């Protein structure tokens, strides 16, 4: 997987539509493809459907209509027992973090590894290292409820990247951290991207987008995705 | 937890607070009910034993002319009536010689007695499995045949037997009821506990955990919580039962010589915590699988 | 909810799921236990009634020489022994004339009978409030005085009385126990429910709500949930009790002519849901005030 | 209260120290005062203690040592039953929003009014108006779980300002909204400020701070508050 040639599409949306219950259509006829190894920003006004789009990408939701192709597999026709393997290739930073409150920062970050059955010795080695890198060396044993907003966000990011995913989806990953840490996290993402991870970052932070303007940008508005750049 | 890794909260959430207590309460009640049912069964079989065999009917001698013939007629009527009662196996009127032999210790063996108009006795053999309402038979008998009476003691015993049969029946119904409620409560508590953990289940699911990985953890957890609660309930039930048994023995002074539980009772009660824990485990497993099936 | 505004979740949280069911279960069990206790009490007072009054002792005539004198001696001994039993109010040996009169329907009024060595009868008046173990007295009597025997029927009744006294005592203990467990469960369920709502309590507190404003809402809520659950439990208990009562009446055929609940029983059972709801309300109130007191 | 002369201190910290449990001191000897009617930004790196400082200000926490004077009342010596009246004069935007999940957006925003016993007719008038103003006219009846991140944040802000508080404390109020809405919200705050409300906004958003650079800035780092500007 790591050696997937750049340029092949890692994800493709074909006229995807989405509505919640009987509400209005949040996404309408969304069609786009992300080449493997690319780095995209996803922008758009609040409530436009960025989080919903990401939810479709990490298989947290099924589209109301249209086709989602992930890792060359049509999701609609993929068997249920094959989905976990696909999900393990995706790292997600949720907008609300979704840390497990009863686990320490370390255990939260270790979760994707544990789910895969990685050995404890490996976990003890890699997880503290990554947490140090995001500036939480002192908080390994802290529960989320005793962490500051920005600290929680960094734990969430660490959990998303610890498994070296093929696809990283980050929803507003810098909303609660200062610019210095935001830059540090973006560099972490770029590093992962260089190693082959395809990355989508949904953000409102215009200054961040402009500072990394070399990356293409998907703009979501009125249920439609348009490419900027 | 069985040496396996767990991603679940270990304490403090609603499930781990509720489930063990509920299971403890339920196991306690079930243990009470089961041993109550066994005790009733025990008492009943004792009484049953006492009543098996024969019932005696006495027919008083008729007076007046042709007294002997009139008495014989009464005996014949009584025998006919009793023979018609379902559940009566044999009816045998005792002849005068046998009656006299029975009366000897009372009246002595003098010849004078032989000429007395003595009451006649009828031996009735009753099917021990039939539920004869002797009280009703006695009633009919005394109305139909003047001077005929059923042995009082036996009538009482028959009533007691019927009562204890009723009680056994009620005990079984109550045990069944408590069993049902117990199971329903354990299932309900486990399901509600899972609902609280919906978010944990979803995050594990989205991270790529297999359904079995998630369900197994919750099932293990429910088993441990259920078993802990069940054992606690059992630990409470044992002294309570002993105290009740002791008090019962002390107070009733020999009527129920021993209402100690038979081995089967101990086995059933000992299994209750395991049953409850198993039920909790199964419910957790099915609930989590159900919740996961609703996720894409 | 009483027409008052509420900031609380109306359904779906752990409290509103758990509390009503638990209260329902508890009220159901308590209703069962209370009516069981009343029924036992009822049965017991009936039996008690049956056994009050007198017990008869029969003394068989001695044989051999000076038979009359020997029999008199036996009667004296029996009277002495029984007189010494605590709870016996009066002991009266019947003279021959009275005995004969009693035997007349059996043996006829002939003069011959007058010369027979007849069994003697002793009338014993028993204090209805004393718990005399007649079985034990019968035992002693038959050992100490040859030919003396206590009326069998009464011995059985005495045993029954003692058994029912035991059962009444046990019923009271069980009712007390279930009452305790009920209260503990309601308190526990309410407290746990409040723990789940800690965040709501804190937000309301920080927004400037008075402690009473917050506590009142939770207390109202707990009351409504508890009352709903309690009424449901009562609604389940009524048919269950009727069914059990009906089954009992059908099966035991007149032994317990009617174990209908007295008015007091209906009142107590009818109050159970209110009691449970009140307890839940009080607990919620105290718990919320406790949680608020720990906030700055 | 509304007519408190500007310049008088609405809040004062005297060598306030704070530690959580047995952990390190988060705040050390913090001394400052906010004049009534002022508008301050509170900046500092993630984990510096901004949220903790605000928590002390909205009486969500007691200091480990030192003195907090709020509305001219020494908090340590204020009776418990007098505190709700003080709290009602403060509006708070929590960093994690802390909306009540079971209430609609409308009921969440109405909460501070309900607590004060304001009449339902008033509530039905003012709350929808404010929610429209923050762009949520369509979501009055929506539960927080069906709102997007930025929509939740706006509900939280509406709840903080609906009661026209004397003191508004906002913790990262623009972390989940786009620049356009962020500006709109800042104008709302300035509007309130002009009407007499004292405002403290804790934020990481440097571009926001620089765009409203006329407002003074408190910087929190290493447990110490320093004034920038
Ligand atoms: N579970 C849900 N049920 C119903 N409607 C929902 C649900 N989740 C989101 N919505 C609606 O869908 C629309 C898009 O929401 P989404 O969270 O995708 O927006 P977003 O672009 O991420 O916004 P933000 O930048 O504020 O996070 C919003 O109007 C929201 O109210
Ligand atoms: N309840 C708590 N128990 C223990 N430690 C806590 C608690 N709350 C916060 N802390 C610690 O106090 C420090 C300051 O936290 P605070 O939330 O005030 O930071 P912050 O400046 O708001 O950070 P951010 O910008 O990331 O939100 C952090 O190191 C955090 O881990
Ligand atoms: Mg979003
Ligand atoms: Mg903070």
């Amino acid at each position: 997987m790591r050696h997937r040639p750049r340029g092949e599409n890692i994800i493709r949306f074909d006229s995807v539509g989405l509505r919640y219950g009987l509400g209005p259509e949040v996404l309408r006829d969304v069609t786009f493809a992300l080449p493997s190894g690319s780095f995209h920003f996803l922008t758009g006004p609040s409530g436009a459907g960025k989080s919903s789009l990401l939810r479709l990408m990490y298989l947290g939701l099924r589209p109301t209509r249209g086709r989602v192709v992930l890792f060359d597999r049509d999701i609609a026709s993929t068997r249920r027992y094959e989905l976990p393997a696909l999900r393990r290739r995706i790292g997600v930073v949720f907008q609300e973090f979704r840390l497990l409150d009863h686990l320490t920062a370390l255990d939260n970050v270790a979760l994707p590894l544990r789910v895969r059955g990685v050995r404890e010795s490996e976990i003890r080695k890699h997880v503290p290292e990554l947490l140090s890198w995001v500036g939480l060396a002192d908080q390994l044993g802290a529960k989320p409820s005793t962490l500051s907003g920005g600290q929680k966000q960094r734990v969430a990011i660490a959990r998303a990247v610890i498994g070296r995913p093929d696809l990283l989806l980050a929803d507003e990953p810098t909303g609660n951290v200062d610019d210095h840490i935001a830059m540090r996290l973006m560099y972490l993402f770029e590093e992962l991207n260089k190693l082959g991870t395809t990355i989508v970052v949904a953000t409102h932070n215009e200054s961040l987008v402009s500072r990394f303007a070399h990356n293409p940008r998907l703009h979501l508005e009125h249920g439609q995705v348009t490419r900027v750049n | 937890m069985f040496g396996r890794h767990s991603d679940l909260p270990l304490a403090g959430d609603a499930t781990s607070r509720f489930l063990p207590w509920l299971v403890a309460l339920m196991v306690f009640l079930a243990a009470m009910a089961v041993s109550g049912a066994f005790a009733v069964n025990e008492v009943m079989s004792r009484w049953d034993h006492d009543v098996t065999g024969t019932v005696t009917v006495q027919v008083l001698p008729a007076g007046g002319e042709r007294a002997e013939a009139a008495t014989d007629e009464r005996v014949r009527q009584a025998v006919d009536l009793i023979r018609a009662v379902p559940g009566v196996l044999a009816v045998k009127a005792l002849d005068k010689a046998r009656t006299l032999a029975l009366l000897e210790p009372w009246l002595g063996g003098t010849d004078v007695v032989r000429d007395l108009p003595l009451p006649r006795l009828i031996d009735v053999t009753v099917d021990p499995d039939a539920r004869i309402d002797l009280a009703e038979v006695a009633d009919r008998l005394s109305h139909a045949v003047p001077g005929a009476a059923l042995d009082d003691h036996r009538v009482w015993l028959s009533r007691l037997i019927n009562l204890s049969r009723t009680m056994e029946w009620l005990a079984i119904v109550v045990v069944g009821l408590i069993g049902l409620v117990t199971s329903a409560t354990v299932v309900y508590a486990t399901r509600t506990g899972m609902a609280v953990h919906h978010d944990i289940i979803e995050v594990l699911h989205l991270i790529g955990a297999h359904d079995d990985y998630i369900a197994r953890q919750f099932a293990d957890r429910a088993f441990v919580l259920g078993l802990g609660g069940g054992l606690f309930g059992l630990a409470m039930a044992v002294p309570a039962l002993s105290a009740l048994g002791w008090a019962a023995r002390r107070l009733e002074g020999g009527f129920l010589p021993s209402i100690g539980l038979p081995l089967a009772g101990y086995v059933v009660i000992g299994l209750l915590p395991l049953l409850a824990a198993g039920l909790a485990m199964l419910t957790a497993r099915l609930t989590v699988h159900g919740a996961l099936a609703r996720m894409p």
Side-chain angles (χ1 to χ4, degrees), chain A, chain B:
Chain A
M1 302 294 133
R2 288 277 126 75
H3 307 292
R4 167 186 297 272
R6 301 217 160 195
E8 202 181 300
N9 288 336
I10 208 162
I11 194 162
R12 211 175 70 228
F13 274 48
D14 267 349
S15 31
V16 165
L18 175 73
R19 66 167 84 233
Y20 290 100
L22 299 173
E25 263 201 326
V26 174
L27 300 179
R28 276 196 286 275
D29 259 326
V30 169
T31 302
F32 69 92
L34 301 183
S36 176
S38 64
F39 189 136
H40 283 81
F41 283 111
L42 176 63
T43 59
S46 171
K50 301 182 295 300
S51 302
S52 304
L53 186 62
L54 293 182
R55 219 172 282 162
L56 289 172
M57 295 167 97
Y58 62 71
L59 310 182
L61 207 60
R62 281 186 194 285
T64 316
R65 57 193 172 79
R67 205 156 72 109
V68 173
V69 179
L70 189 68
F71 304 124
D72 294 328
R73 307 283 304 258
D74 183 341
I75 294 307
S77 62
T78 305
R79 299 284 182 77
R80 191 178 163 75
Y81 66 84
E82 295 174 306
L83 292 177
L86 300 186
R87 288 201 175 93
R88 288 179 191 182
R89 294 172 63 187
I90 309 174
V92 188
V93 184
F94 300 99
Q95 191 170 12
E96 286 96 7
F97 315 153
R98 305 191 71 165
L99 302 178
L100 302 194
D101 281 333
H102 58 281
L103 296 180
T104 61
L106 194 141
D107 285 331
N108 263 293
V109 175
L111 219 47
L113 303 182
R114 294 235 164 89
V115 160
R116 281 168 223 203
V118 171
R119 266 180 292 113
E120 259 335 271
S121 58
E122 292 268 305
I123 291 174
R124 298 271 150 216
K125 203 178 107 202
H126 290 303
V127 174
E129 200 177 296
L130 179 59
L131 278 171
S132 304
W133 207 92
V134 298
L136 293 175
D138 294 346
Q139 321 270 355
L140 298 183
K143 297 275 173 75
S145 61
T146 69
L147 291 176
S148 81
Q151 289 166 343
K152 274 185 243 184
Q153 191 154 43
R154 285 177 273 160
V155 173
I157 291 171
R159 184 177 67 183
V161 304
I162 187 77
R164 294 266 198 115
D166 291 330
L167 174 62
L168 177 68
L169 307 170
D171 200 351
E172 204 75 64
T174 58
N176 285 277
V177 293
D178 51 87
D179 282 3
H180 171 71
I181 294 180
M183 292 307 293
R184 211 177 148 85
L185 293 172
M186 287 306 291
Y187 291 136
L188 173 64
F189 290 170
E190 291 220 308
E191 208 55 47
L192 278 172
N193 183 237
K194 281 192 196 117
L195 290 169
T197 299
T198 310
I199 293 178
V200 181
V201 175
T203 187
H204 289 299
N205 194 331
E206 285 295 334
S207 67
L208 200 75
V209 174
S210 53
R211 234 179 301 183
F212 290 83
H214 51 278
N215 292 319
R217 177 170 167 182
L218 296 168
H219 188 74
L220 180 59
E221 197 154 4
H222 306 305
Q224 298 284 345
V225 170
T226 47
R227 285 184 179 273
V228 188
N229 278 28
Chain B
M1 219 163 287
F2 301 148
R4 289 200 272 188
H5 162 72
S6 166
D7 305 321
L8 305 182
L10 279 178
D13 62 307
T15 332
S16 53
R17 282 162 179 249
F18 263 115
L19 193 56
W21 285 101
L22 270 182
V23 172
L25 175 64
M26 291 297 127
V27 165
F28 181 86
L29 290 175
M32 293 291 207
V34 166
S35 57
F38 272 106
V40 167
N41 178 53
E42 186 87 357
V43 169
M44 200 203 112
S45 64
R46 260 166 228 278
W47 285 350
D48 237 4
H49 187 77
D50 280 359
V51 94
T52 15
T54 57
V55 182
T56 308
V57 176
Q58 297 167 328
V59 181
L60 295 187
E65 275 171 77
R66 294 174 37 78
E68 196 78 359
T71 309
D72 281 349
E73 173 60 17
R74 283 184 181 182
V75 169
R76 211 187 41 72
Q77 282 177 357
V79 166
D80 284 355
L81 190 144
I82 291 170
R83 201 165 266 151
V85 174
V88 167
L89 296 181
V91 183
K92 184 161 162 271
L94 301 186
D95 54 26
K96 201 160 185 184
R98 183 110 180 72
T99 310
L100 276 177
L102 283 170
L103 285 175
E104 218 187 282
W106 281 64
L107 307 174
T110 45
D111 280 349
V112 181
V113 174
R114 212 151 307 179
D115 297 324
L116 283 175
L118 285 180
R120 302 287 189 79
L121 300 180
I122 304 170
D123 250 11
V124 182
T125 310
V126 172
D127 180 356
D129 295 332
R131 295 164 141 262
I132 301 187
D133 187 349
L134 285 179
E136 187 261 349
V137 175
D139 236 38
R140 271 202 290 148
L141 193 64
S142 60
H143 278 102
V145 186
L150 245 169
D151 177 354
D152 230 22
H153 172 195
R154 279 296 151 82
V155 173
W156 264 96
L157 261 185
S158 144
R159 283 176 164 173
L160 258 185
I161 285 296
N162 278 344
L163 175 68
S164 72
R165 280 214 181 94
T166 308
M167 280 178 65
E168 192 180 34
W169 190 85
L170 289 188
I172 287 170
V173 169
V174 167
V175 167
L177 221 91
I178 291 192
L180 263 179
V181 170
T182 304
S183 313
T185 311
V186 170
V187 168
Y188 190 75
T190 312
R191 286 178 64 86
T192 311
M194 294 303 105
V196 173
H197 292 135
H198 188 267
D199 205 54
I200 297 177
I201 295 175
E202 192 175 10
V203 169
L204 289 174
H205 175 68
L206 291 177
I207 276 173
H210 280 288
D211 290 5
D212 268 343
Y213 175 92
I214 305 174
R216 200 205 62 213
Q217 289 195 25
F218 280 96
D220 284 1
R221 182 89 191 303
F223 185 83
V224 170
L225 290 174
L227 193 64
L231 288 176
F232 181 77
L234 190 63
M236 294 294 95
V238 167
L241 284 174
S242 314
L244 286 179
W246 177 82
R249 262 192 303 284
R250 259 206 65 150
L251 281 178
E252 50 73 22
F255 191 51
L256 317 168
S258 117
I259 47 169
L261 219 49
L263 188 64
Y266 283 111
V267 171
V268 170
I269 291 182
L271 282 179
L272 287 176
L274 266 183
L275 285 176
L279 193 66
M281 183 172 82
L282 194 71
T283 308
R285 191 170 187 86
L286 292 177
T287 309
V288 172
H289 271 295
L292 285 167
R294 281 190 299 277
M295 292 176 191

